[in-house]
Amino acid sequence: MQFRHQILALAIVPLILAIVAITWLVTWQSASLARASIDTFERNMVQAKQDELLNLTNMALSAIDGIYRDAGPDDEAAKAQVRAILNALDYGEDGYFFVYDYDGVNIVHPRQTYRPGQNWLSLTDPNGDRVIYNLIEKAKEGGGLHSYLWEKPSAGTIAEKVSFAVGLDKWEWMLGTGVYLDDVFAQTAAAHEDLRNTINSTFFTIVLIAVPAVLLVFGSWMVLNLHERRLADSKLKELTQRVIDTQEEERTRIARELHDGISQILIGVRYAIDLARRKVENGAEGASDAIGKGADALNGAIKEVRRLSHDLRPGALDDLGLSAALEALTHNFAERTGIKVILEAVAFKNMLLPEARTALYRVAQEALNNIDRHANASEVTLALSSPHGRVQMVIADNGKGFSRDAGAQRGLGLRNMAERMAHFGGTMLVEPSPNGTTLRATLPKSVFIRQSKLAEVA
């Protein structure tokens, strides 16, 4: 995996994990709170139903209390009156009272008229619950609630029902009434369905936010990556062009040096040799003088070749070090241009990296060439020192200087020098003024060869 892809993964994967974790946490907490609220609502509704049953049962007992209190155990007339009252008590299509004796025979049932007079003690609901038997037992215990499945008159379906049964012990009757809980369960089911819909909606909303966020991060990365690629390609093209320009400039300089210097000298040597040949053939005097002038011209050509070779790659830089190479450079510069050069170079305690030596030498060489071509200076100072363990080279002249805008447009020279320093993490500052120009090139401590490496070289 490429480094840029690793950065993308480090940016997107934690974002996706965080979104998933937050989504799960929010969904879980919301669902837990909603379920707790629904359960509480269901319990409260069932409790309200149960309280309603107690109130209805007390109402029925109050309706028959006067008759039941004054009647005897076998008072059939009183029993008939009570049956009539209970049959008439009605609180909705599914609300009614029922009565069974302790043996399980139905006495009152307003909705299911086929039940009175028959024994239903062994009746069970679809779950196997002995409904009548358990209700009678609750009545004998002094009254209580019992849940079971029973047919709902309004719907004609089986539904869960809770009933409260109380005993009329004098007559051995069980009086009861009940309410159906399917409406409660329907409301809780609807609440659960709303909860699921809400969770789904919340999840969908988070996805709508998260997916664009991830896509935004990915898209931003793609845009930045594309921009960086284009910028890198542009810089690479610019660098390639600059290398080509530098090569062409160097070739042009060498060609000019060869044409204007060595070529002219060699032409003079040829003329001198031709003159000497003609004098020898004619037996004239002065042939030796012509040969001497040709030899002097050849010596000049040899010096010129040495100078060009020294400019391309000075041997002293590899053999004697930077200080010696700079001394030779300044001496040749002063001899060639007539500009006075003051060299102040210190000996380093540690050796410089070969690449760093070459970079400093090329900066000095380019700076001196610029002074020769543009500064119109009469004196140059070149100081090489090591302040605070770093390498610093300062080149100052007393020429006419230049403006910063003009310096920015001066071509490849200054940029090449700055890039040579930047390659090693160093800096190059140019300080122009009307009284001359100062160039400061600084390299960090990392350009020194460590003692361990020096020992290995030794």
Side-chain angles (χ1 to χ4, degrees):
M1 182 182 291
Q2 296 182 359
F3 182 67
R4 63 171 62 92
H5 295 156
Q6 293 177 355
I7 294 177
L8 176 64
L10 290 175
I12 291 182
V13 171
L15 177 62
I16 294 175
L17 293 178
I19 291 173
V20 171
I22 292 173
T23 302
W24 178 83
L25 182 62
V26 170
T27 302
W28 178 77
Q29 286 186 338
S30 300
S32 298
L33 291 174
R35 289 191 185 96
S37 299
I38 292 172
D39 292 340
T40 301
F41 169 76
E42 183 176 336
R43 287 194 300 270
N44 291 337
M45 289 291 292
V46 172
Q47 184 63 45
K49 295 282 188 180
Q50 293 174 356
D51 293 341
E52 181 183 2
L53 287 177
L54 292 177
N55 294 331
L56 292 171
T57 303
N58 289 329
M59 180 188 68
L61 289 175
S62 298
I64 64 172
D65 181 65
I67 300 172
Y68 177 74
R69 186 178 61 250
D70 297 335
D74 298 322
D75 190 341
E76 294 298 329
K79 291 180 181 180
Q81 288 181 320
V82 169
R83 283 198 299 270
I85 293 172
L86 295 176
N87 271 313
L89 285 178
D90 198 319
Y91 53 93
E93 189 175 0
D94 297 321
Y96 57 89
F97 290 91
F98 53 84
V99 178
Y100 291 83
D101 63 18
Y102 285 174
D103 293 330
V105 177
N106 181 262
I107 297 173
V108 175
H109 203 299
R111 297 293 183 269
Q112 298 176 347
T113 56
Y114 60 89
R115 292 194 183 278
Q118 299 186 44
N119 191 307
W120 303 96
L121 189 64
S122 60
L123 178 67
T124 58
D125 68 1
N127 291 334
D129 182 76
R130 298 178 64 186
V131 178
I132 306 305
Y133 174 82
N134 290 326
L135 286 171
I136 292 172
E137 290 300 314
K138 291 291 183 180
K140 290 180 179 180
E141 293 172 1
L145 295 166
H146 181 62
S147 297
Y148 54 93
L149 296 178
W150 196 262
E151 181 181 357
K152 187 175 182 180
S154 61
T157 58
I158 302 299
E160 186 169 349
K161 185 177 183 180
V162 60
S163 295
F164 186 82
V166 66
L168 301 177
D169 294 331
K170 187 192 320 184
W171 293 345
E172 295 186 349
W173 282 7
M174 178 272 292
L175 169 63
T177 187
V179 293
Y180 292 91
L181 301 178
D182 57 334
D183 57 340
V184 176
F185 296 146
Q187 293 182 42
T188 56
H192 281 292
E193 182 65 25
D194 291 341
L195 171 62
R196 284 191 292 270
N197 293 335
T198 301
I199 291 175
N200 292 335
S201 176
T202 301
F203 180 78
F204 182 70
T205 301
I206 294 176
V207 168
L208 286 179
I209 297 174
V211 171
V214 174
L215 292 177
L216 179 62
V217 172
F218 181 76
S220 300
W221 176 81
M222 288 294 293
V223 171
L224 290 176
N225 187 40
L226 182 61
H227 176 71
E228 289 179 357
R229 280 179 176 271
R230 290 179 176 176
L231 186 61
D233 291 341
S234 175
K235 288 185 176 180
L236 182 60
K237 291 179 181 178
E238 181 182 356
L239 179 61
T240 303
Q241 186 61 43
R242 286 168 60 185
V243 169
I244 294 173
D245 293 343
T246 303
Q247 291 176 342
E248 291 299 324
E249 183 179 339
E250 186 67 14
R251 289 170 180 170
T252 302
R253 185 184 70 82
I254 295 174
R256 184 172 59 250
E257 294 283 353
L258 291 173
H259 179 272
D260 296 343
I262 297 175
S263 177
Q264 300 301 321
I265 293 174
L266 292 177
I267 291 173
V269 171
R270 189 191 68 180
Y271 288 154
I273 293 174
D274 287 342
L275 178 61
R277 180 176 57 81
R278 287 195 300 270
K279 287 186 177 183
V280 170
E281 290 177 351
N282 298 327
E285 296 181 357
S288 60
D289 293 338
I291 293 174
K293 291 180 180 179
D296 292 338
L298 283 175
N299 287 333
I302 292 172
K303 289 182 180 180
E304 190 69 16
V305 170
R306 286 178 177 174
R307 184 182 67 80
L308 287 175
S309 174
H310 184 272
D311 288 343
L312 293 175
R313 181 66 186 181
L317 184 63
D318 298 323
D319 300 333
L320 302 178
L322 179 61
S323 298
L326 290 178
E327 183 176 359
L329 176 66
T330 55
H331 175 75
N332 292 335
F333 176 79
E335 187 179 71
R336 176 170 55 88
T337 62
I339 300 174
K340 180 181 179 182
V341 180
I342 301 174
L343 176 63
E344 300 173 359
V346 298
F348 295 107
K349 295 181 181 180
N350 299 324
M351 291 178 61
L352 293 173
L353 293 172
E355 298 83 358
R357 292 201 303 265
T358 302
L360 287 170
Y361 181 85
R362 293 303 183 194
V363 168
Q365 188 179 41
E366 183 67 27
L368 291 177
N369 288 336
N370 286 339
I371 292 172
D372 181 27
R373 291 196 298 263
H374 307 294
N376 194 23
S378 61
E379 183 176 296
V380 177
T381 301
L382 193 156
L384 184 66
S385 60
S386 179
H388 310 293
R390 297 175 298 173
V391 183
Q392 186 177 74
M393 182 173 67
V394 180
I395 302 175
D397 66 66
N398 61 350
K400 62 182 180 180
F402 60 90
S403 65
R404 294 186 182 273
D405 294 336
Q409 301 173 358
R410 210 170 260 275
L412 297 175
L414 291 177
R415 282 191 294 177
N416 287 341
M417 289 191 286
E419 287 182 357
R420 287 182 185 274
M421 297 296 99
H423 176 73
F424 297 95
T427 59
M428 192 196 77
L429 299 177
V430 179
E431 302 170 358
S433 70
N435 299 322
T437 303
T438 301
L439 181 149
R440 300 178 187 275
T442 305
L443 292 179
K445 299 178 181 179
S446 58
V447 300
F448 287 103
I449 300 178
R450 297 180 181 177
Q451 293 296 332
S452 58
K453 292 187 177 181
L454 284 174
E456 292 176 3
V457 173

